[in-house]
Amino acid sequence: MYPKVRFRGFDESWRTEKLKNIGESFSGLSGKKSSDFGHGEAKYITYLNILNNPIIDTKLTDKIEIDNKQHLVKKGDIFFTISSETPQEVGLSSVLDTNLNECYLNSFSFGYRLKEISMFDNLFNSYNFRSPNFRRKMYILAQGISRYNISKKAVLNETICFPKISEQKQIGKLIKLMNSLLSLQQRKLELEKQLKFFLFQNAIPSKEAVIFKPKIRFREFQDKWKYAKLSEIYNTDCSGGTPSVKNKTFYGGNIPFLTISDLNNKKIYKTQKTLSKKGLENSSAKLVPAGSISLAMYASVGKIGILSKEMATSQAFFNMTFDDDEKRDFIYIILEKANFDKEWIRLISTGTQNNLNAKKIRNFHIVFPTYKALKGLNKLFCNIDTDIDIQYKVIVTTNQLKQFLLQNLFI
């Protein structure tokens, strides 16, 4: 057996063994009452610790009294979840990479101990037992309807493939490096988001302030901001409509049809649904010009997007057109801040759904700077949004590379 991708210098075939032939299983805690947990000199590895971590996080163990009848865990042990509400979480594994004194295993998992531990690298095992190929075997073994369970005996009858330990160590180091890189990239993304939220609160003055003056601003822009209704800034507005879904000829044409599920990015380039000319003519749906802002009034209240081209929208949207792109981009920032500050929650109408209405949106009060200051803020927020978008793409690309390695470095 050979993996599709491997390090140069390794060309020997991988071994294939049934788990029952190279190791033994053991059970978790037994005979315990709820009052036995949360105190004591011993520890136990929780179900969630196994579920969430390929390698056990030793800081997340819980307390329990010492009990010599229970099975102590050891470095190199591999733990499997036995039961879950979804088949994807059954048979998930985690490896103990350090020795713990007086530590047991929770009762909703079972342990597996290799006979020849020197033949295996813990990092490699932590990824190998969670590789797509091995996980597919666990999905097949999961049984149940409302809750899924896995048989310890069935797991032990499955096979695992592994190379010599020198190659295991190389693979383990590479995947660990990928995980560290993803963590750093995720942290960078969070810091960029925090910067944006900081500017929301400090570069745009509060509407409740006596004097509309931001806490931080560009040195050359010292003029006061003005108080205005949203309807005083945009050009025109309209809502939309939905053709009857019973008539299939109304759909599948060349007219993009915006729904709530399409609001995932600032610019909307493509919609999941399209209308025919007949569908547009036989409904209250209207064509909304490119460059308009669409704001969700129903369901995901406050979500917004800018139309990259002419589209029709459902009645769930309040659509605003602008005669100036700079004003439009600044209103987008203000509406994004309003959503972040949960301002729409105070305006929604209660009922079967919490909805906005056109009157409340038109009368929504905002603070508005001079045109020069507006352009400066647009550029600042545009740069931050660009950095955030790039960072999202970097994370997606790195994750795709990791998934490729997991799919091809293992058998």
Side-chain angles (χ1 to χ4, degrees), residues 150-216:
I150 200 166
S151 161
K152 180 171 33 174
K153 183 178 180 180
V155 173
L156 294 178
N157 272 322
E158 287 297 336
T159 59
I160 192 75
C161 296
F162 57 93
K164 286 186 174 181
I165 192 164
S166 55
E167 188 173 359
Q168 291 181 37
K169 288 181 180 294
Q170 292 283 73
I171 294 171
K173 286 178 183 178
L174 177 60
I175 304 298
K176 183 181 180 181
L177 181 64
M178 294 298 299
N179 287 336
S180 298
L181 183 59
L182 278 169
S183 295
L184 288 172
Q185 290 171 347
Q186 193 64 48
R187 176 60 179 155
K188 183 180 178 183
L189 177 63
E190 291 305 315
L191 288 172
E192 287 173 345
K193 286 182 178 180
Q194 287 175 23
L195 173 60
K196 183 176 181 178
F197 298 150
F198 172 82
L199 291 172
F200 274 160
Q201 302 303 325
N202 294 278
I204 299 172
S206 168
K207 290 187 290 186
E208 284 73 37
V210 176
I211 299 175
F212 300 128
K213 183 178 179 181
K215 296 177 183 177
I216 58 173

Side-chain angles (χ1 to χ4, degrees), residues 203 212-225 369-380:
F212 300 128
K213 183 178 179 181
K215 296 177 183 177
I216 58 173
R217 65 196 315 185
F218 294 106
R219 186 176 297 172
E220 62 268 32
F221 304 128
Q222 298 299 319
D223 295 330
K224 293 179 182 178
W225 290 40
T370 63
Y371 193 74
K372 284 187 177 180
L374 175 152
K375 289 177 70 175
L377 284 168
N378 282 349
K379 187 175 181 180
L380 175 63

Side-chain angles (χ1 to χ4, degrees), residues 197 200-201 207 301-302 334-348 356 364:
F197 298 150
F200 274 160
Q201 302 303 325
K207 290 187 290 186
V301 173
I334 292 294
L335 295 177
E336 195 177 22
K337 180 182 185 302
N339 201 24
F340 173 74
D341 291 339
K342 297 181 169 52
E343 290 191 61
W344 301 118
I345 293 176
R346 298 193 291 270
L347 297 177
I348 55 180
L356 280 173
F364 183 70

Side-chain angles (χ1 to χ4, degrees), residues 9 25 30 42 61 83 98 120 160 196 206-207 220 247 300 370 411:
S25 66
S30 60
T61 55
S83 177
T98 186
F120 295 90
I160 192 75
K196 183 176 181 178
S206 168
K207 290 187 290 186
E220 62 268 32
N247 192 326
S300 301
T370 63
I411 298 176

Side-chain angles (χ1 to χ4, degrees), residues 287-344:
L287 285 175
V288 182
S292 300
I293 291 179
S294 291
L295 185 150
M297 296 190 290
Y298 309 159
S300 301
V301 173
K303 287 190 75 173
I304 50 176
I306 297 175
L307 306 186
S308 65
K309 55 187 173 183
E310 188 178 60
M311 297 182 184
T313 76
S314 74
Q315 64 274 20
F317 292 99
F318 183 85
N319 305 300
M320 295 164 274
T321 67
F322 295 81
D323 54 12
D324 186 299
D325 288 352
E326 292 288 354
K327 286 184 179 180
R328 181 211 52 209
D329 290 346
F330 183 75
I331 291 302
Y332 182 91
I333 294 168
I334 292 294
L335 295 177
E336 195 177 22
K337 180 182 185 302
N339 201 24
F340 173 74
D341 291 339
K342 297 181 169 52
E343 290 191 61
W344 301 118

